[in-house]
Every structure is written in C-alpha cells, then in structure tokens.
Amino acid sequence: MNNILKKILKKEPILEYITTGDDDLDKKILGYQKGELITIASRPGFGKTSLALKSVIANIKKGRKVFYAILGESSEIIIAKIISQMLDVPVRDILLGTYKDIDEFELQNAIDIISEYLILEEDIFVDIEYIFNRSFEFHNDLELLVIDGMEYLTSLTDANIVKSIKDMAYKNQVPIILLTSININVEKKNK
C-alpha cells in the first residue's frame, strides 16, 4: 500500500494497461488491465473478431507479444483480416490476391510485425489447459491472450471454463480476451 501512496504523491502512474486499439475506449475503461478477463459476446457476424483484431494489431505494432487461439476458423483468414486492417485494404482483396496499390515495403513491414509478435494457434474443440500450456509456458513475455471461439472450448479438469480462464489471467497477470457467440435459439425462447 505504501508503494501505491508514494506513486500517487509523485504523480506516477499506478496502472499500466494494454490498449484496446481504440483511444476513446481506452480513455473510458483504461484499456485492458493485467490479470483481467474480457468477454466479448454477440450473435455470429457482429464484429467480435474484428474488435479483438483491432487490439491485437495495436499491441503487436507496439512490440507486444500476443497469443491468438483460433477455434473454428482458419489462421489464413485471421492473418488476411489482420493485414487488411493494418493496410486498410478490403479483406476480400487480400484473400483473393487482387489487392492493388499496396506499397511492397508496407506489406513486408506488416508481415514482419505479425511474424515477430503474433503467435497463432489454430484448432477446433481444444481443451483450455492446452491453450494455457501453449501460451504461458512457452511464451514468458506474453502480454495479451485472445481466445476466439469459447463455444469450442473443453476442459479436462474444471467444469467452470470461464473461472479457469479468469484464474489463469490473474495468475499470469495477462489480460485475456474471450470471444463467444450468443446462441440465437436461447434468445428466441426468452421472448
């Protein structure tokens, strides 16, 4: 407690955060905190992945290591989406190789940043312990973890997957973004 009080007296920051990729959102929520679990849920196709990728891109551009677990989608599409956002080019043009007017140096720079700071793990129906082992045990300098597709997660040891993820975020002092789709059928039942 004394350490915090001294920082306040010296007007030093008490809190360091990981950017959301949106300056206005960072000002409102102070970004993503170390040890925090951020859950982004919506119907399919409402932009959860795009929002998470905005955070991923902002952080890898700052030289921070990001682990992205892709569950239920291909890494090729995620990489194309990242390059699309980084270079402001339609993702369709990246996927089909029909992009024009992209500076080769900018493209190579984007590829270098992705290669150095982004770790992608692609699978479907994977257990959460595997993701923890792959992300935290092999990457000590990890600063952000994104799990895209909670509905595909299983657990070998814990029935409460969300609690396990929150515990791991806190234990490793890394923010974890958890993306999940809302089941539309459940929504229809409640009407």
Side-chain angles (χ1 to χ4, degrees), residues 59-149:
N59 284 291
I60 64 175
K61 282 183 169 181
K62 290 183 177 193
R64 295 183 175 133
K65 286 275 189 191
V66 176
F67 188 95
Y68 197 108
I70 308 162
L71 309 176
E73 194 168 7
S74 77
S75 58
E76 289 87 0
I77 295 200
I78 294 298
I79 291 169
K81 287 179 179 180
I82 291 171
I83 291 173
S84 167
Q85 284 188 29
M86 288 177 84
L87 301 178
D88 197 25
V89 175
V91 70
R92 183 177 196 280
D93 291 347
I94 299 292
L95 288 168
L96 298 176
T98 58
Y99 57 86
K100 297 176 184 160
D101 301 325
I102 292 181
D103 182 82
E104 192 173 316
F105 176 77
E106 287 181 20
L107 179 58
Q108 187 59 55
N109 186 50
I111 290 169
D112 291 345
I113 290 169
I114 293 166
S115 298
E116 187 167 349
Y117 297 108
L118 181 63
I119 303 113
L120 287 175
E121 184 73 30
E122 176 185 355
D123 212 331
I124 189 163
F125 297 112
V126 67
D127 65 271
I128 193 65
E129 292 82 7
Y130 175 79
I131 291 174
F132 292 156
N133 289 337
R134 293 285 299 150
S135 59
F136 293 118
E137 289 183 15
F138 298 117
H139 306 286
N140 296 334
D141 53 351
L142 188 67
E143 294 194 54
L144 178 65
L145 170 60
V146 179
I147 302 171
D148 192 346

Coordinates of all heavy atoms in Angstrom, one line a residue, residues 59-149:
N59 N -1.4 -3.7 -30.4 CA -0.4 -4.2 -29.5 C 0.8 -4.8 -30.2 O 2.0 -4.6 -29.7 CB -1.0 -5.2 -28.5 CG -1.8 -4.4 -27.4 OD1 -1.2 -3.7 -26.6 ND2 -3.1 -4.5 -27.5
I60 N 0.6 -5.6 -31.3 CA 1.8 -6.1 -32.0 C 2.6 -5.0 -32.6 O 3.8 -5.0 -32.7 CB 1.5 -7.2 -33.0 CG1 0.6 -6.7 -34.1 CG2 0.9 -8.4 -32.2 CD1 0.4 -7.8 -35.2
K61 N 1.9 -3.9 -33.0 CA 2.6 -2.7 -33.5 C 3.5 -2.1 -32.5 O 4.5 -1.4 -32.8 CB 1.7 -1.7 -34.1 CG 1.1 -2.1 -35.5 CD 0.2 -0.9 -36.0 CE -0.2 -1.1 -37.4 NZ -1.0 0.0 -37.9
K62 N 3.1 -2.2 -31.2 CA 3.9 -1.7 -30.1 C 5.0 -2.6 -29.6 O 5.6 -2.4 -28.6 CB 3.0 -1.3 -28.9 CG 2.1 -0.1 -29.2 CD 1.3 0.2 -28.0 CE 0.4 1.5 -28.3 NZ -0.2 2.0 -27.2
G63 N 5.1 -3.8 -30.3 CA 6.1 -4.7 -29.9 C 5.8 -5.6 -28.8 O 6.6 -6.2 -28.1
R64 N 4.5 -5.8 -28.6 CA 4.0 -6.7 -27.5 C 3.6 -8.1 -28.1 O 3.0 -8.2 -29.1 CB 2.8 -6.1 -26.8 CG 3.1 -4.8 -26.1 CD 1.8 -4.3 -25.4 NE 2.2 -3.2 -24.6 CZ 1.5 -2.0 -24.6 NH1 0.4 -1.9 -25.3 NH2 1.8 -1.0 -23.8
K65 N 4.0 -9.1 -27.4 CA 3.7 -10.5 -27.8 C 2.2 -10.8 -27.5 O 1.7 -10.5 -26.4 CB 4.5 -11.5 -27.1 CG 5.9 -11.6 -27.5 CD 6.1 -12.5 -28.7 CE 7.5 -12.7 -29.0 NZ 7.8 -13.3 -30.2
V66 N 1.5 -11.3 -28.5 CA 0.1 -11.6 -28.4 C -0.1 -13.1 -28.9 O 0.4 -13.5 -29.9 CB -0.8 -10.7 -29.3 CG1 -2.2 -11.1 -29.3 CG2 -0.6 -9.2 -28.9
F67 N -0.8 -13.8 -28.1 CA -1.2 -15.2 -28.5 C -2.6 -15.2 -28.8 O -3.5 -14.7 -28.1 CB -0.9 -16.1 -27.3 CG -1.1 -17.6 -27.6 CD1 0.0 -18.4 -27.9 CD2 -2.3 -18.2 -27.6 CE1 -0.1 -19.7 -28.2 CE2 -2.5 -19.5 -27.9 CZ -1.3 -20.3 -28.2
Y68 N -2.9 -15.7 -30.0 CA -4.3 -15.8 -30.5 C -4.7 -17.2 -30.8 O -4.1 -17.8 -31.7 CB -4.4 -14.9 -31.8 CG -5.8 -14.5 -32.2 CD1 -6.2 -13.2 -32.1 CD2 -6.7 -15.5 -32.7 CE1 -7.5 -12.9 -32.5 CE2 -7.9 -15.1 -33.1 CZ -8.3 -13.8 -33.0 OH -9.6 -13.5 -33.3
A69 N -5.6 -17.7 -30.0 CA -6.1 -19.1 -30.2 C -7.4 -19.0 -31.1 O -8.4 -18.4 -30.7 CB -6.5 -19.7 -28.9
I70 N -7.3 -19.6 -32.3 CA -8.4 -19.5 -33.2 C -9.1 -20.9 -33.2 O -8.5 -21.9 -33.5 CB -7.8 -19.3 -34.7 CG1 -6.9 -18.1 -34.7 CG2 -9.0 -19.2 -35.7 CD1 -6.0 -18.1 -36.0
L71 N -10.3 -20.8 -32.7 CA -11.1 -22.1 -32.6 C -12.3 -22.0 -33.6 O -13.1 -21.1 -33.5 CB -11.6 -22.2 -31.2 CG -10.5 -22.1 -30.1 CD1 -11.2 -22.2 -28.7 CD2 -9.5 -23.1 -30.3
G72 N -12.3 -22.8 -34.6 CA -13.4 -22.8 -35.5 C -13.3 -22.0 -36.7 O -14.2 -21.8 -37.5
E73 N -12.1 -21.4 -36.9 CA -11.9 -20.6 -38.1 C -10.4 -20.8 -38.5 O -9.6 -21.3 -37.7 CB -12.1 -19.1 -37.8 CG -12.1 -18.2 -39.1 CD -12.7 -16.8 -38.8 OE1 -12.8 -16.4 -37.6 OE2 -12.9 -16.1 -39.8
S74 N -10.1 -20.5 -39.8 CA -8.7 -20.8 -40.2 C -7.8 -19.6 -39.9 O -8.1 -18.5 -40.0 CB -8.7 -21.1 -41.7 OG -8.8 -20.0 -42.5
S75 N -6.5 -20.0 -39.7 CA -5.5 -18.9 -39.5 C -5.3 -18.1 -40.7 O -4.9 -16.9 -40.6 CB -4.2 -19.6 -39.0 OG -3.7 -20.5 -39.9
E76 N -5.5 -18.7 -41.9 CA -5.3 -17.9 -43.1 C -6.3 -16.7 -43.1 O -5.9 -15.6 -43.5 CB -5.5 -18.7 -44.4 CG -4.4 -19.7 -44.6 CD -4.6 -21.1 -43.9 OE1 -5.6 -21.2 -43.2 OE2 -3.7 -21.9 -44.0
I77 N -7.5 -16.9 -42.7 CA -8.5 -15.9 -42.7 C -8.1 -14.8 -41.7 O -8.3 -13.6 -42.0 CB -9.9 -16.4 -42.5 CG1 -10.2 -17.3 -43.7 CG2 -10.9 -15.3 -42.3 CD1 -11.6 -17.6 -44.0
I78 N -7.7 -15.2 -40.5 CA -7.3 -14.3 -39.5 C -6.2 -13.4 -39.9 O -6.2 -12.2 -39.8 CB -7.0 -15.0 -38.1 CG1 -8.3 -15.7 -37.6 CG2 -6.4 -14.1 -37.1 CD1 -9.4 -14.7 -37.2
I79 N -5.1 -14.1 -40.5 CA -4.0 -13.3 -41.0 C -4.4 -12.3 -42.1 O -4.0 -11.2 -42.1 CB -2.9 -14.3 -41.5 CG1 -2.3 -15.0 -40.3 CG2 -1.8 -13.5 -42.2 CD1 -1.4 -16.1 -40.6
A80 N -5.3 -12.7 -43.0 CA -5.8 -11.8 -44.0 C -6.5 -10.7 -43.4 O -6.4 -9.5 -43.9 CB -6.7 -12.6 -45.0
K81 N -7.3 -10.9 -42.4 CA -8.0 -9.9 -41.7 C -7.1 -8.9 -41.0 O -7.3 -7.7 -41.0 CB -9.0 -10.4 -40.7 CG -10.2 -11.1 -41.3 CD -11.2 -11.7 -40.2 CE -12.4 -12.3 -40.9 NZ -13.3 -12.9 -39.8
I82 N -6.0 -9.4 -40.4 CA -5.0 -8.5 -39.8 C -4.3 -7.7 -40.8 O -4.2 -6.4 -40.6 CB -4.0 -9.4 -39.0 CG1 -4.7 -10.0 -37.8 CG2 -2.8 -8.5 -38.5 CD1 -3.9 -11.1 -37.0
I83 N -3.9 -8.3 -41.9 CA -3.2 -7.5 -42.9 C -4.2 -6.5 -43.5 O -3.8 -5.3 -43.8 CB -2.6 -8.4 -44.0 CG1 -1.4 -9.2 -43.4 CG2 -2.1 -7.6 -45.2 CD1 -0.8 -10.2 -44.3
S84 N -5.4 -6.9 -43.7 CA -6.4 -6.0 -44.3 C -6.6 -4.7 -43.4 O -6.6 -3.6 -43.9 CB -7.8 -6.7 -44.4 OG -8.8 -5.8 -44.6
Q85 N -6.7 -5.0 -42.0 CA -6.8 -3.8 -41.1 C -5.6 -3.0 -41.0 O -5.6 -1.8 -41.0 CB -7.2 -4.3 -39.7 CG -8.7 -4.7 -39.6 CD -9.1 -5.0 -38.2 OE1 -8.5 -4.5 -37.2 NE2 -10.1 -5.9 -38.0
M86 N -4.4 -3.7 -41.1 CA -3.1 -2.9 -40.9 C -2.9 -2.0 -42.1 O -2.4 -0.9 -42.0 CB -2.0 -3.9 -40.8 CG -1.9 -4.6 -39.4 SD -0.6 -5.8 -39.3 CE 0.8 -4.7 -38.9
L87 N -3.3 -2.5 -43.3 CA -3.0 -1.7 -44.6 C -4.2 -1.0 -45.1 O -4.1 -0.4 -46.2 CB -2.4 -2.7 -45.6 CG -1.1 -3.4 -45.2 CD1 -0.6 -4.3 -46.3 CD2 0.0 -2.4 -44.8
D88 N -5.4 -1.1 -44.4 CA -6.6 -0.5 -44.9 C -7.0 -0.9 -46.3 O -7.2 -0.1 -47.2 CB -6.5 1.0 -44.8 CG -7.9 1.6 -44.8 OD1 -8.9 1.0 -44.5 OD2 -8.0 2.8 -45.2
V89 N -7.0 -2.3 -46.5 CA -7.3 -2.9 -47.8 C -8.5 -3.9 -47.6 O -8.5 -4.5 -46.5 CB -6.1 -3.6 -48.4 CG1 -6.4 -4.4 -49.6 CG2 -4.9 -2.7 -48.6
P90 N -9.4 -3.9 -48.5 CA -10.5 -4.9 -48.2 C -10.0 -6.3 -48.1 O -9.1 -6.8 -48.8 CB -11.4 -4.8 -49.5 CG -11.1 -3.4 -50.1 CD -9.6 -3.2 -49.7
V91 N -10.5 -7.0 -47.1 CA -10.0 -8.4 -46.8 C -10.2 -9.3 -48.0 O -9.4 -10.2 -48.2 CB -10.7 -9.0 -45.5 CG1 -12.1 -9.3 -45.7 CG2 -9.9 -10.2 -45.0
R92 N -11.3 -9.1 -48.7 CA -11.5 -9.9 -49.9 C -10.4 -9.8 -50.9 O -10.0 -10.8 -51.5 CB -12.8 -9.4 -50.5 CG -13.3 -10.2 -51.7 CD -14.6 -9.7 -52.3 NE -15.3 -10.6 -53.1 CZ -14.9 -10.8 -54.4 NH1 -13.9 -10.1 -54.9 NH2 -15.6 -11.7 -55.1
D93 N -9.8 -8.6 -51.0 CA -8.7 -8.4 -52.0 C -7.4 -9.2 -51.5 O -6.7 -9.7 -52.3 CB -8.4 -7.0 -52.2 CG -9.5 -6.2 -52.9 OD1 -10.3 -6.9 -53.5 OD2 -9.5 -5.0 -52.9
I94 N -7.3 -9.2 -50.2 CA -6.1 -10.0 -49.6 C -6.3 -11.4 -49.8 O -5.4 -12.2 -50.3 CB -5.9 -9.7 -48.1 CG1 -5.7 -8.2 -47.8 CG2 -4.8 -10.5 -47.5 CD1 -4.3 -7.7 -48.3
L95 N -7.5 -11.9 -49.5 CA -7.8 -13.4 -49.6 C -7.7 -13.9 -51.1 O -7.3 -15.0 -51.3 CB -9.2 -13.7 -49.1 CG -9.4 -13.6 -47.6 CD1 -10.9 -13.6 -47.2 CD2 -8.6 -14.8 -46.9
L96 N -8.1 -13.0 -52.0 CA -8.1 -13.4 -53.4 C -6.8 -13.0 -54.2 O -6.7 -13.4 -55.4 CB -9.4 -12.9 -54.2 CG -10.7 -13.4 -53.6 CD1 -11.8 -12.7 -54.3 CD2 -10.8 -14.9 -53.7
G97 N -6.0 -12.3 -53.5 CA -4.8 -11.8 -54.2 C -5.0 -10.7 -55.2 O -4.2 -10.6 -56.2
T98 N -6.1 -10.0 -55.1 CA -6.5 -9.0 -56.1 C -6.2 -7.6 -55.6 O -6.7 -6.6 -56.2 CB -8.0 -9.1 -56.5 OG1 -8.8 -9.0 -55.3 CG2 -8.2 -10.4 -57.2
Y99 N -5.4 -7.5 -54.5 CA -5.1 -6.1 -54.0 C -4.3 -5.3 -54.9 O -3.5 -5.9 -55.7 CB -4.5 -6.2 -52.6 CG -3.2 -7.1 -52.6 CD1 -2.0 -6.5 -52.9 CD2 -3.3 -8.4 -52.2 CE1 -0.8 -7.2 -52.8 CE2 -2.1 -9.1 -52.2 CZ -0.9 -8.5 -52.5 OH 0.3 -9.3 -52.5
K100 N -4.5 -4.0 -54.9 CA -3.7 -3.1 -55.7 C -3.2 -2.0 -54.9 O -3.7 -1.7 -53.8 CB -4.6 -2.6 -56.9 CG -5.1 -3.6 -57.8 CD -6.0 -3.0 -58.8 CE -6.6 -4.2 -59.7 NZ -7.8 -3.9 -60.4
D101 N -2.3 -1.3 -55.4 CA -1.8 0.0 -54.7 C -1.3 -0.3 -53.3 O -1.5 0.6 -52.4 CB -2.9 1.1 -54.7 CG -3.3 1.4 -56.2 OD1 -2.5 1.4 -57.1 OD2 -4.5 1.7 -56.3
I102 N -0.8 -1.4 -53.0 CA -0.2 -1.6 -51.7 C 1.3 -1.5 -51.9 O 1.9 -2.2 -52.7 CB -0.5 -3.0 -51.1 CG1 -2.0 -3.1 -50.8 CG2 0.3 -3.3 -49.9 CD1 -2.4 -4.5 -50.2
D103 N 1.9 -0.7 -51.1 CA 3.4 -0.5 -51.1 C 4.0 -1.8 -50.6 O 3.6 -2.3 -49.6 CB 3.7 0.7 -50.2 CG 5.2 1.0 -50.2 OD1 5.7 1.6 -51.2 OD2 5.9 0.5 -49.3
E104 N 4.9 -2.3 -51.4 CA 5.6 -3.6 -51.1 C 6.3 -3.5 -49.7 O 6.3 -4.4 -48.9 CB 6.5 -4.0 -52.2 CG 7.0 -5.4 -52.0 CD 7.8 -5.9 -53.2 OE1 7.4 -5.6 -54.4 OE2 8.8 -6.6 -53.0
F105 N 6.9 -2.3 -49.5 CA 7.6 -2.1 -48.2 C 6.6 -2.2 -47.0 O 6.9 -2.8 -46.0 CB 8.3 -0.8 -48.2 CG 9.0 -0.5 -46.9 CD1 10.2 -1.1 -46.5 CD2 8.4 0.4 -46.0 CE1 10.8 -0.8 -45.3 CE2 9.0 0.7 -44.8 CZ 10.2 0.1 -44.4
E106 N 5.5 -1.5 -47.1 CA 4.4 -1.6 -46.1 C 3.9 -3.0 -45.9 O 3.7 -3.4 -44.7 CB 3.3 -0.7 -46.4 CG 3.6 0.8 -46.3 CD 2.4 1.7 -46.7 OE1 1.2 1.2 -46.6 OE2 2.6 2.9 -47.0
L107 N 3.7 -3.7 -46.9 CA 3.2 -5.1 -46.8 C 4.3 -6.0 -46.1 O 4.0 -6.7 -45.2 CB 2.9 -5.7 -48.2 CG 2.5 -7.1 -48.2 CD1 1.2 -7.3 -47.4 CD2 2.2 -7.6 -49.7
Q108 N 5.5 -5.8 -46.5 CA 6.6 -6.6 -45.9 C 6.7 -6.2 -44.4 O 6.9 -7.1 -43.5 CB 7.9 -6.4 -46.6 CG 9.1 -7.3 -46.1 CD 8.7 -8.8 -46.2 OE1 8.4 -9.3 -47.3 NE2 8.8 -9.5 -45.1
N109 N 6.6 -5.0 -44.1 CA 6.7 -4.5 -42.7 C 5.6 -5.1 -41.9 O 5.8 -5.6 -40.7 CB 6.6 -3.0 -42.6 CG 6.8 -2.4 -41.2 OD1 7.8 -2.8 -40.6 ND2 5.9 -1.6 -40.8
A110 N 4.3 -5.1 -42.4 CA 3.2 -5.8 -41.7 C 3.5 -7.2 -41.5 O 3.2 -7.8 -40.4 CB 1.9 -5.6 -42.5
I111 N 4.0 -7.9 -42.5 CA 4.3 -9.4 -42.4 C 5.3 -9.6 -41.3 O 5.2 -10.5 -40.5 CB 4.7 -9.9 -43.7 CG1 3.4 -10.0 -44.6 CG2 5.3 -11.3 -43.6 CD1 3.7 -10.3 -46.1
D112 N 6.4 -8.7 -41.3 CA 7.4 -8.9 -40.3 C 6.9 -8.7 -38.9 O 7.3 -9.4 -37.9 CB 8.6 -7.9 -40.5 CG 9.3 -8.2 -41.8 OD1 9.2 -9.3 -42.3 OD2 10.1 -7.3 -42.3
I113 N 6.0 -7.7 -38.7 CA 5.5 -7.4 -37.3 C 4.6 -8.6 -36.9 O 4.7 -9.1 -35.8 CB 4.6 -6.1 -37.4 CG1 5.5 -4.9 -37.5 CG2 3.7 -6.0 -36.1 CD1 4.8 -3.6 -37.8
I114 N 3.8 -9.1 -37.8 CA 2.9 -10.3 -37.5 C 3.8 -11.5 -37.1 O 3.6 -12.2 -36.1 CB 2.0 -10.6 -38.7 CG1 1.0 -9.5 -38.9 CG2 1.3 -12.0 -38.5 CD1 0.2 -9.6 -40.2
S115 N 4.8 -11.7 -37.9 CA 5.7 -12.9 -37.7 C 6.4 -12.8 -36.4 O 6.6 -13.8 -35.7 CB 6.8 -13.0 -38.8 OG 6.1 -13.2 -40.1
E116 N 6.8 -11.6 -36.0 CA 7.6 -11.5 -34.7 C 6.8 -11.5 -33.5 O 7.2 -12.0 -32.4 CB 8.5 -10.2 -34.8 CG 9.4 -10.1 -33.6 CD 10.5 -9.1 -33.8 OE1 10.7 -8.5 -34.9 OE2 11.2 -8.8 -32.8
Y117 N 5.6 -10.8 -33.5 CA 4.9 -10.6 -32.3 C 3.6 -11.3 -32.1 O 3.0 -11.3 -31.0 CB 4.6 -9.1 -32.1 CG 5.9 -8.3 -32.0 CD1 6.4 -7.5 -33.1 CD2 6.7 -8.4 -30.9 CE1 7.6 -6.8 -33.0 CE2 7.9 -7.7 -30.8 CZ 8.3 -6.9 -31.8 OH 9.5 -6.2 -31.7
L118 N 3.1 -12.0 -33.1 CA 1.9 -12.8 -33.0 C 2.1 -14.3 -33.1 O 2.7 -14.8 -34.0 CB 0.9 -12.3 -34.2 CG -0.5 -13.0 -34.2 CD1 -1.3 -12.6 -32.9 CD2 -1.2 -12.6 -35.4
I119 N 1.5 -14.9 -32.1 CA 1.6 -16.4 -32.1 C 0.2 -16.9 -32.3 O -0.7 -16.5 -31.5 CB 2.1 -16.9 -30.7 CG1 3.5 -16.4 -30.4 CG2 2.1 -18.5 -30.7 CD1 3.5 -15.4 -29.2
L120 N 0.0 -17.6 -33.4 CA -1.4 -18.2 -33.7 C -1.4 -19.6 -33.4 O -0.5 -20.4 -33.7 CB -1.7 -18.0 -35.2 CG -1.9 -16.6 -35.7 CD1 -2.1 -16.5 -37.2 CD2 -3.2 -16.0 -35.1
E121 N -2.5 -20.1 -32.8 CA -2.8 -21.5 -32.5 C -4.1 -21.8 -33.1 O -5.1 -21.2 -32.7 CB -2.7 -21.7 -31.0 CG -2.9 -23.2 -30.7 CD -1.7 -24.0 -31.0 OE1 -0.5 -23.5 -31.0 OE2 -1.8 -25.2 -31.3
E122 N -4.2 -22.6 -34.1 CA -5.4 -22.9 -34.8 C -5.9 -24.4 -34.4 O -5.1 -25.3 -34.5 CB -5.3 -22.8 -36.3 CG -6.5 -23.2 -37.1 CD -6.2 -23.2 -38.6 OE1 -5.1 -22.8 -39.0 OE2 -7.1 -23.6 -39.3
D123 N -7.1 -24.5 -34.0 CA -7.6 -25.8 -33.6 C -9.2 -25.7 -33.5 O -9.7 -24.6 -33.6 CB -7.1 -26.3 -32.3 CG -6.9 -27.8 -32.3 OD1 -7.7 -28.5 -33.0 OD2 -6.0 -28.3 -31.6
I124 N -9.8 -26.8 -33.3 CA -11.2 -26.8 -33.1 C -11.5 -27.8 -31.9 O -10.8 -28.9 -31.9 CB -12.1 -27.2 -34.3 CG1 -13.5 -26.9 -34.1 CG2 -11.8 -28.6 -34.8 CD1 -14.4 -26.8 -35.3
F125 N -12.3 -27.5 -31.0 CA -12.6 -28.3 -29.9 C -11.3 -28.6 -29.1 O -10.9 -29.8 -29.1 CB -13.4 -29.5 -30.2 CG -14.8 -29.2 -30.8 CD1 -15.1 -29.5 -32.1 CD2 -15.7 -28.6 -30.0 CE1 -16.3 -29.2 -32.6 CE2 -17.0 -28.3 -30.5 CZ -17.3 -28.6 -31.8
V126 N -10.7 -27.7 -28.5 CA -9.5 -27.8 -27.8 C -9.7 -27.6 -26.3 O -10.6 -26.9 -26.0 CB -8.4 -26.9 -28.4 CG1 -8.7 -25.4 -28.1 CG2 -7.0 -27.2 -27.9
D127 N -8.9 -28.3 -25.5 CA -9.1 -28.0 -24.1 C -8.3 -26.8 -23.6 O -7.3 -26.5 -24.2 CB -8.8 -29.3 -23.2 CG -7.3 -29.7 -23.3 OD1 -7.0 -30.4 -24.2 OD2 -6.6 -29.2 -22.5
I128 N -8.9 -26.1 -22.6 CA -8.3 -24.9 -22.2 C -6.9 -25.1 -21.6 O -6.1 -24.2 -21.7 CB -9.3 -24.2 -21.2 CG1 -8.9 -22.7 -20.9 CG2 -9.4 -24.9 -19.9 CD1 -8.9 -21.8 -22.1
E129 N -6.7 -26.2 -21.0 CA -5.4 -26.5 -20.4 C -4.3 -26.5 -21.5 O -3.2 -26.0 -21.3 CB -5.3 -27.8 -19.7 CG -6.2 -27.8 -18.4 CD -7.7 -28.0 -18.6 OE1 -8.1 -28.3 -19.8 OE2 -8.4 -27.9 -17.6
Y130 N -4.6 -27.0 -22.7 CA -3.7 -27.0 -23.8 C -3.3 -25.6 -24.2 O -2.2 -25.2 -24.4 CB -4.3 -27.7 -25.0 CG -3.4 -27.7 -26.2 CD1 -2.3 -28.5 -26.4 CD2 -3.7 -26.8 -27.3 CE1 -1.5 -28.5 -27.5 CE2 -3.0 -26.8 -28.4 CZ -1.9 -27.6 -28.5 OH -1.1 -27.5 -29.7
I131 N -4.3 -24.7 -24.3 CA -4.1 -23.3 -24.6 C -3.2 -22.6 -23.6 O -2.3 -21.9 -23.9 CB -5.4 -22.5 -24.8 CG1 -6.2 -23.0 -26.0 CG2 -5.2 -21.0 -24.9 CD1 -7.6 -22.4 -26.2
F132 N -3.5 -22.9 -22.3 CA -2.6 -22.3 -21.3 C -1.2 -22.8 -21.4 O -0.3 -22.0 -21.3 CB -3.2 -22.7 -19.9 CG -4.5 -22.0 -19.5 CD1 -5.3 -22.6 -18.6 CD2 -4.9 -20.8 -20.2 CE1 -6.6 -22.0 -18.3 CE2 -6.1 -20.3 -19.9 CZ -6.9 -20.8 -18.9
N133 N -1.0 -24.1 -21.6 CA 0.3 -24.6 -21.7 C 1.1 -24.0 -22.9 O 2.2 -23.6 -22.8 CB 0.3 -26.1 -21.9 CG -0.1 -26.8 -20.6 OD1 0.1 -26.3 -19.5 ND2 -0.6 -28.0 -20.7
R134 N 0.4 -23.9 -24.1 CA 1.0 -23.4 -25.3 C 1.3 -21.9 -25.1 O 2.3 -21.4 -25.6 CB 0.1 -23.6 -26.5 CG -0.1 -25.0 -26.9 CD 1.1 -25.6 -27.6 NE 1.3 -24.8 -28.8 CZ 2.5 -24.7 -29.4 NH1 3.6 -25.2 -28.8 NH2 2.7 -24.0 -30.5
S135 N 0.4 -21.2 -24.5 CA 0.6 -19.7 -24.4 C 1.6 -19.3 -23.3 O 2.5 -18.5 -23.5 CB -0.7 -19.0 -24.3 OG -1.4 -19.4 -23.2
F136 N 1.3 -19.7 -22.1 CA 2.1 -19.2 -20.9 C 3.4 -19.9 -20.7 O 4.4 -19.3 -20.3 CB 1.2 -19.2 -19.7 CG 0.1 -18.2 -19.7 CD1 -1.2 -18.7 -19.7 CD2 0.3 -16.9 -19.9 CE1 -2.3 -17.8 -19.8 CE2 -0.7 -16.0 -20.0 CZ -2.0 -16.4 -19.9
E137 N 3.4 -21.2 -20.9 CA 4.6 -22.0 -20.6 C 5.7 -21.7 -21.6 O 6.9 -21.8 -21.3 CB 4.3 -23.5 -20.4 CG 3.6 -23.8 -19.2 CD 3.3 -25.2 -18.9 OE1 4.0 -26.1 -19.6 OE2 2.5 -25.6 -18.1
F138 N 5.3 -21.5 -22.9 CA 6.3 -21.3 -23.9 C 6.6 -19.9 -24.3 O 7.5 -19.6 -25.0 CB 5.9 -22.1 -25.2 CG 5.7 -23.6 -25.0 CD1 4.5 -24.2 -25.1 CD2 6.8 -24.3 -24.6 CE1 4.4 -25.6 -24.9 CE2 6.7 -25.7 -24.4 CZ 5.5 -26.3 -24.5
H139 N 5.8 -19.0 -23.8 CA 5.9 -17.6 -24.1 C 5.9 -16.7 -22.8 O 4.8 -16.2 -22.5 CB 4.8 -17.2 -25.1 CG 4.8 -18.0 -26.3 ND1 5.7 -18.0 -27.3 CD2 4.0 -19.0 -26.7 CE1 5.5 -18.9 -28.2 NE2 4.4 -19.5 -27.9
N140 N 7.0 -16.6 -22.1 CA 7.1 -15.9 -20.9 C 6.8 -14.4 -21.0 O 6.3 -13.8 -20.1 CB 8.4 -16.1 -20.2 CG 8.7 -17.5 -19.8 OD1 7.7 -18.3 -19.6 ND2 9.9 -17.9 -19.8
D141 N 7.0 -13.9 -22.2 CA 6.9 -12.4 -22.4 C 5.5 -12.1 -23.0 O 5.3 -11.0 -23.5 CB 8.0 -11.9 -23.3 CG 8.2 -12.6 -24.6 OD1 7.5 -13.7 -24.8 OD2 8.9 -12.2 -25.5
L142 N 4.6 -13.0 -22.9 CA 3.2 -12.8 -23.5 C 2.5 -11.6 -22.7 O 2.6 -11.5 -21.5 CB 2.4 -14.1 -23.3 CG 1.1 -14.1 -23.9 CD1 1.2 -14.1 -25.5 CD2 0.3 -15.3 -23.5
E143 N 1.9 -10.7 -23.5 CA 1.2 -9.6 -22.9 C -0.3 -9.5 -23.2 O -1.0 -8.7 -22.5 CB 1.9 -8.3 -23.4 CG 3.3 -8.2 -22.9 CD 3.9 -6.8 -23.0 OE1 3.3 -5.8 -22.6 OE2 5.0 -6.7 -23.7
L144 N -0.8 -10.4 -24.1 CA -2.2 -10.4 -24.4 C -2.5 -11.8 -24.9 O -1.8 -12.3 -25.8 CB -2.6 -9.3 -25.4 CG -4.1 -9.3 -25.8 CD1 -5.0 -8.9 -24.6 CD2 -4.2 -8.2 -26.9
L145 N -3.6 -12.4 -24.5 CA -4.1 -13.6 -25.0 C -5.5 -13.5 -25.5 O -6.4 -12.9 -24.8 CB -4.1 -14.7 -23.9 CG -4.7 -16.1 -24.1 CD1 -4.1 -16.8 -25.3 CD2 -4.6 -16.9 -22.9
V146 N -5.8 -13.9 -26.7 CA -7.1 -13.9 -27.3 C -7.6 -15.3 -27.5 O -6.9 -16.1 -28.2 CB -7.2 -13.0 -28.6 CG1 -8.6 -13.0 -29.2 CG2 -6.7 -11.6 -28.3
I147 N -8.8 -15.6 -27.1 CA -9.4 -16.9 -27.3 C -10.6 -16.7 -28.2 O -11.6 -16.1 -27.6 CB -9.7 -17.7 -26.1 CG1 -8.4 -17.9 -25.2 CG2 -10.4 -19.1 -26.4 CD1 -8.7 -18.5 -23.8
D148 N -10.6 -17.0 -29.4 CA -11.7 -16.7 -30.4 C -12.5 -18.0 -30.6 O -12.1 -18.8 -31.4 CB -11.1 -16.2 -31.7 CG -12.2 -15.6 -32.6 OD1 -13.3 -15.8 -32.3 OD2 -11.8 -14.9 -33.6
G149 N -13.6 -18.1 -29.8 CA -14.5 -19.3 -30.0 C -14.7 -20.0 -28.7 O -14.4 -21.2 -28.7

